[in-house]
Amino acid sequence: MSRRCDLTGKAVLSGNLVSHSNRKTKRRFLPNLCNVTLQSETLNRSVKLRISANALKSVDHRGGLDAFLKKAREEELSQVARELKRQIAKANAEAATAA
């Protein structure tokens, strides 16, 4: 399983660990990933995703998973999130034509 956020694409960064004597050794900065279950209002079901804590705050700020995916770009989403975005767009289109 990759250490990458499913929604924002935030991944592992590399840098230097600098000691008191200023010696530099390589280290990894890991994203703060959480396994969460988010509710989709459009699809009326829950979705399990592995997202960063920062992305979880963004989802709450934008008003839920559906609003976040509607505004997100395709290239930064994982394959699971892209499919979810397409399903939500399809459900919204069907609801608009039915109304």
Side-chain angles (χ1 to χ4, degrees), residues 81-99:
R82 286 180 191 173
E83 182 60 34
L84 190 62
K85 181 176 180 171
R86 288 186 198 110
Q87 289 174 3
I88 291 171
K90 185 177 178 182
N92 283 336
E94 289 173 358
T97 58

Side-chain angles (χ1 to χ4, degrees), residues 39-47 66 83-84 87-89 91:
Q39 185 70 29
S40 173
E41 292 85 21
T42 306
L43 300 177
N44 292 325
R45 67 181 179 100
S46 58
V47 181
D66 297 342
E83 182 60 34
L84 190 62
Q87 289 174 3
I88 291 171

Side-chain angles (χ1 to χ4, degrees), residues 46-85:
S46 58
V47 181
K48 289 178 115 176
L49 295 171
R50 189 170 188 218
I51 64 174
S52 65
N54 192 14
L56 187 58
K57 287 174 64 175
S58 298
V59 167
D60 288 339
H61 179 72
R62 289 190 186 168
L65 180 64
D66 297 342
F68 182 89
L69 289 174
K70 185 177 180 182
K71 194 171 181 181
R73 294 192 314 244
E74 287 274 331
E75 59 267 5
E76 68 184 14
L77 298 175
S78 70
Q79 193 64 32
V80 175
R82 286 180 191 173
E83 182 60 34
L84 190 62
K85 181 176 180 171

Side-chain angles (χ1 to χ4, degrees), residues 17-24:
L17 182 85
V18 182
S19 69
H20 178 70
S21 64
N22 210 24
R23 291 182 63 159
K24 294 167 184 72

